[in-house]
Amino acid sequence: MGMMMIVFAIVVAVILLAFFVAAANAKPSTPVQLADIDWDALRDERVSQYLPDQKIAAIKAYRELTGVGLAEAKHAVEVAIANPDLLNDKKARSAAQSLSDAGIRELVEDGRIDDATELYRQFTGVDEYTARDYVDGIDNELRGRG
């Protein structure tokens, strides 16, 4: 009985070790940038009918149209809700993309993660957690972890 418990403990330890190694080696997701958003899908009737009041339904519809993950769809819908002018104005999207990337990347490179998060949050109108995910993705990318 004692030997069987030892073998069981070793098997459990190996499984846990394999799980932690796999988790440590998992690639972090790259940040969703404004250029990555499918603006045509956001303008599609199946998504736009839910904007801005039915965010969850809009996220589901956006995912169905684009096949992106939940985080990417949530980000796209939140940006669209916070910046409705970006939906119809190509020039505004282009200006937003360059402003967003340039200023935030410089702040991240300077180690000013909180400032970059706040700037992105204010610029896009997304919540703090979504903004932090975006900035962390840029940080990982710049450090070669992305």
Side-chain angles (χ1 to χ4, degrees):
M1 182 78 164
M3 183 60 113
M4 198 159 33
M5 292 296 283
I6 293 172
V7 170
F8 179 73
I10 291 171
V11 168
V12 169
V14 168
I15 291 171
L16 286 173
L17 179 63
F19 174 76
F20 288 120
V21 168
N25 290 331
K27 272 189 161 180
S29 62
T30 57
V32 178
Q33 305 205 4
L34 294 177
D36 296 336
I37 295 174
D38 186 336
W39 297 98
D40 291 332
L42 286 171
R43 284 189 299 271
D44 188 281
E45 176 62 28
R46 291 169 281 188
V47 176
S48 64
Q49 69 180 332
Y50 299 116
L51 293 174
D53 299 324
Q54 297 177 359
K55 184 170 144 182
I56 293 172
I59 291 169
K60 287 180 181 178
Y62 184 84
R63 289 186 72 196
E64 288 173 6
L65 284 173
T66 62
V68 300
L70 180 60
E72 293 86 358
K74 179 180 180 281
H75 181 266
V77 168
E78 286 178 343
V79 169
I81 290 171
N83 303 284
D85 55 313
L86 294 180
L87 282 174
N88 298 317
D89 190 348
K90 195 176 263 190
K91 286 183 183 179
R93 283 195 303 275
S94 177
Q97 176 65 31
S98 61
L99 273 173
S100 173
D101 285 348
I104 291 169
R105 282 188 182 278
E106 288 174 6
L107 289 171
V108 172
E109 287 172 353
D110 291 343
R112 298 173 52 197
I113 303 298
D114 291 338
D115 292 338
T117 301
E118 181 61 18
L119 175 65
Y120 188 75
R121 189 190 66 71
Q122 287 178 355
F123 182 74
T124 61
V126 298
D127 63 78
E128 182 178 343
Y129 300 104
T130 302
R132 186 57 178 239
D133 285 344
Y134 176 82
V135 170
D136 286 346
I138 290 176
D139 188 36
N140 288 334
E141 181 183 302
L142 291 173
R143 295 176 188 267
R145 298 182 295 209

